[in-house]
Amino acid sequence: MSPHPIAETVTSLMPRAKAELTELVAFTSVADFDQYPKSESEGAANWVADALRAEGFEDVALLDTPDGTQSVYGFLPGPAGAPTVLLYAHYDVQPPLDEAAWATPPFELTERENGRWYGRGAADCKGGVLLHLLAIRALKANGGVPVHVKVIAEGSEEQGTGGLERYAEQHPELLAADTIVIGDAGNFKAGLPTATATLRGMTLVRVQVDTLEGNLHSGQFGGAAPDALAALVRVLDSLRAEDGSTTVDGLESAASWDGLQYEEDAFRGDAKVLDGVELIGSGTVADRIWARPAVTVLGIDCPPVVGATPSVQAGARALVSLRVPPGVDAAEATKLLRAHIEAHTPWGARVRTEQVGQGQPFRANTSSPAYAALADAMSEAYDGQEMSYAGQGGSIPLCNTLASLYPQAEILLIGLSEPEAQIHAVNESVSPEELERLSVAEALFLQKYAAAAH
């Protein structure tokens, strides 16, 4: 059977896509302007805007969002009476972490022997920008784009500062659509077509514990003087049961996942768990990462080992993340987390908690017509394989904002962040095969969805 003309077109466009992704990855577009120049994010935003203009998009604009970053918007009109589809990606990226741990420079897209393209943002989510561009170009070369298309490329998704969410709430007509394709998820594994049906939400809480007016000599005072760092360690330990399960007083933590399962050996391999080290929690792996809460201590402020003095610490603080499962309100989970921390602080130590970020969990309606069109398109792009449904442990707060603004819209989650991509870690990469197949799938989806809408 000869390949679909759209697939042939996308194949022919891949060398150009690699060159463009190289340009886009080169911008150090981390939306933390204390660490990275704002001009780099602005450069990436302008690159996306220019790419949209080149494809004939109208009303292309750099939207100044309330968190001081820019999101890129464009509109491509389709045939009269056609539905409107919003395509989402983000051009901001996580910091590179330890640059020395990268085998190749993080902001230089590099093809390695395994064929994957390495670079920060290659999969998450600058590759998502290219995914949408490839689908549009393939349709233009094969009879035209059959729907009205809006594109929104966010500039601060990784920071969780909510700029685009606030902007969308202030301008609700801007992103209104019949269907929304969020290109920031990923297949369960490379080569297995997957729609993400749920997302966990997240809350971030900063915890400050104080016990003394100042540090004390640990020989002279240690043993009776209350140690703030020890108090903080005890508080943080109270957030886990003996098996490592998350335990926040009053928070449901026994839900189960009944979709695609994640085999334990596969998870150990994907997570690169060291030999002999146990996984934490109970239930299936899918229960733990998609259906239940998960607390993580993201950082602790205390003296580093090098240069530490023999002192009892007067104060210590930590940043705690809680992933919130679908069906649980993130604001309620935040309240429970803060109350738990305050209730479990020992020795009468003074404790302050401050919420510094929050996003709601999300559950898609997978019985919708758009999902049927996506399943057909995915199967065609992936050689007849049936599309699977998985959860994702991560958060995309914008999903809930869009779901509440446009309750009739169907929201689909696809993307390039399969496990081998190692997003947020060193040596992030994208599979060019995934980029090619998902671009074909998105183009076919837009065709099938438009046909079903008539």
Side-chain angles (χ1 to χ4, degrees), residues 413-425:
L413 292 110
I414 60 172
L416 298 161
S417 298
E418 38 76 30
E420 289 178 71
Q422 294 194 180
I423 64 167
H424 294 204

Side-chain angles (χ1 to χ4, degrees), residues 124-386:
D124 183 25
C125 183
K126 290 175 176 178
V129 174
L130 267 296
L131 162 66
H132 297 324
L133 288 173
L134 281 166
I136 295 295
R137 290 168 183 165
L139 289 167
K140 286 173 67 180
N142 289 278
V145 182
V147 296
H148 303 292
V149 175
K150 294 179 177 180
V151 166
I152 188 75
E154 188 174 4
S156 57
E157 191 274 343
E158 299 293 8
Q159 294 301 309
T161 43
L164 181 55
E165 293 156 66
R166 302 292 84 75
Y167 191 95
E169 288 164 354
Q170 292 159 13
H171 306 83
E173 73 296 333
L174 186 74
L175 302 182
D178 299 294
T179 283
I180 299 166
V181 179
I182 305 282
D184 191 24
N187 286 339
F188 178 67
K189 62 182 179 184
L192 181 70
T194 313
T196 299
T198 66
L199 299 168
R200 288 193 293 197
M202 183 174 75
T203 185
L204 284 174
V205 171
R206 199 176 282 140
V207 184
Q208 175 75 43
V209 175
D210 295 294
T211 54
L212 305 164
E213 289 187 6
N215 286 3
L216 299 172
H217 187 290
S218 63
Q220 193 174 358
F221 294 98
D227 181 328
L229 180 54
L232 177 64
V233 168
R234 190 158 282 191
V235 172
L236 298 178
D237 184 58
S238 76
L239 293 166
R240 293 190 183 277
E242 193 66 31
D243 66 2
S245 301
T246 292
T247 53
V248 175
D249 295 344
L251 187 63
E252 163 63 37
S253 60
S256 58
W257 175 264
D258 58 5
L260 185 69
Q261 291 299 315
Y262 203 154
E263 293 303 323
E264 196 162 314
D265 286 348
F267 179 82
R268 290 185 70 91
D270 290 339
K272 297 180 170 52
V273 180
L274 300 178
D275 286 347
V277 178
E278 299 171 10
L279 300 187
I280 61 171
S282 61
T284 68
V285 170
D287 293 342
R288 289 176 246 181
I289 62 172
W290 297 335
R292 296 181 182 176
V295 75
T296 307
V297 179
L298 302 184
I300 296 180
D301 283 343
C302 58
V305 171
V306 175
T309 60
S311 302
V312 177
Q313 300 300 316
R317 68 176 187 159
L319 183 63
V320 176
S321 149
L322 177 66
R323 296 288 177 170
V324 181
V328 176
D329 176 51
E332 180 61 25
T334 304
K335 266 192 228 163
L336 292 171
L337 175 62
R338 295 176 73 174
H340 177 107
I341 288 167
E342 287 159 16
H344 289 264
T345 300
W347 316 321
R350 294 182 185 175
V351 60
R352 292 197 314 276
T353 61
E354 176 194 2
Q355 184 185 347
V356 291
Q358 181 181 286
Q360 291 288 357
F362 171 77
R363 179 180 281 124
N365 172 17
T366 56
S367 64
S368 67
Y371 266 92
L374 180 65
D376 283 350
M378 284 282 225
S379 178
E380 201 169 323
Y382 281 85
D383 304 326
Q385 290 187 80
E386 189 176 336

